[in-house]
Amino acid sequence: MLAGSAIAAEHSGTQEEQQACTPDVFRLCSAQIPNEDRIVACLNKHMAKLSPACRKVMRGDSPKSREKR
């Protein structure tokens, strides 16, 4: 569900990453569903409006994202 971050390579992310961003996707990017590339682009565009948990995921600050670096 979730360009520029480690999540972009796999989009869907872990279940925890999906849970962090699902509310933001529905709030900010619902028109982009189900296109994951467009959702990622939309979330990146609205980075300042994301919840802190989703912002961490999108920036690649989540533990799983760090493991993949």
Side-chain angles (χ1 to χ4, degrees):
M1 169 173 6
L2 301 186
S5 71
I7 300 303
E10 65 182 32
H11 291 296
S12 297
T14 66
Q15 184 173 354
E16 292 82 15
E17 291 167 338
Q18 289 178 18
Q19 288 176 339
C21 289
T22 296
D24 293 318
V25 170
F26 283 108
R27 182 170 54 91
L28 299 167
C29 305
S30 60
Q32 312 313 319
I33 297 171
N35 186 309
E36 290 185 19
D37 291 328
R38 290 175 61 189
I39 291 169
V40 171
C42 177
L43 290 173
N44 280 313
K45 178 181 175 183
H46 295 289
M47 188 70 71
K49 296 178 184 177
L50 298 180
S51 65
C54 185
R55 193 174 308 123
K56 279 185 168 183
V57 170
M58 294 304 294
R59 288 184 176 161
D61 294 343
S62 68
K64 276 289 191 192
S65 296
R66 283 193 299 268
E67 288 176 14
K68 294 175 187 175
R69 289 183 191 170

